Amino acid sequence: MIAVRRIAAATMLAALAGISAPSAYAAAPADDDASFLKAMHQNNLAEIAAGQSARKNATAACVKSVGAVLVRDHAKLDVGVKALASKLHITLSPSPSSAQTKAMTAMQANVGTSAYDTNWPTTETKSHKDTLALIDRESAGGSNAGVKAAARAARPVVARHLQLIRACEARVKRS
């Protein structure tokens, strides 16, 4: 009985110390997996900024509401990306890419005009299509099971965003 308790205590201590068997999620990521996490984080940052801008600057109700959805969902997605990157010892950029920043600056130039409401969905359509392509590449060719699982989990969220953005774009064009 004492031996059983000692084994149980040793097992508990090993688990608490992180000396358990490595999982597929903890396996070192390949370069493409690390690149995916870095790109997804930058995409999330860009989409959060775009959503915040839409909530603040849009005049069309659908642009404002889709912007709010982007902020909420990309913030949630980014929590998972950051946790996975941390677990895999991947350093993430603190800001969107230069191309994303340039697109955001171009969009901001239209604030206060009707062009903002028409350009915002167009920009977001392209961004979400690019993100879906990134996700699909990782899902098909990624090496790390945890990163592939994160890509598969993000896909329906980003696809839903694309549907919302396209519907909003059609409403704005009809106005």
Side-chain angles (χ1 to χ4, degrees), residues 15-132:
L16 289 173
I19 306 175
S20 60
S23 71
Y25 290 101
D31 287 344
D32 56 343
D33 296 316
S35 294
F36 170 78
L37 288 174
K38 290 175 182 182
M40 276 302 293
H41 174 64
Q42 288 184 305
N43 289 350
N44 287 331
L45 294 177
E47 296 307 338
I48 291 166
Q52 290 169 335
S53 175
R55 287 177 17 198
K56 179 181 175 187
N57 299 309
T59 57
C62 71
V63 174
K64 285 181 179 275
S65 67
V66 172
V69 170
L70 295 186
V71 170
R72 181 194 69 215
D73 292 351
H74 282 283
K76 286 179 187 176
L77 287 174
D78 207 43
V79 168
V81 168
K82 288 190 293 191
L84 188 53
S86 175
K87 187 174 188 173
L88 297 172
H89 308 289
I90 297 168
T91 303
L92 301 175
S93 173
S95 58
S97 71
S98 59
Q100 291 164 328
T101 301
K102 186 176 178 180
M104 179 65 79
T105 301
M107 198 171 15
Q108 291 298 106
N110 294 315
V111 168
T113 70
S114 61
Y116 183 90
D117 288 340
T118 56
N119 290 341
W120 189 89
T122 302
T123 301
E124 288 305 306
T125 294
K126 181 188 179 324
S127 175
H128 280 76
K129 283 180 175 180
D130 292 347
T131 300
L132 284 172

Side-chain angles (χ1 to χ4, degrees), residues 130-146:
D130 292 347
T131 300
L132 284 172
L134 176 72
I135 288 169
D136 290 343
R137 278 193 305 274
E138 177 62 27
S139 295
S143 303
N144 182 283

Side-chain angles (χ1 to χ4, degrees), residues 2 38 171:
I2 292 174
K38 290 175 182 182
R171 277 189 293 239

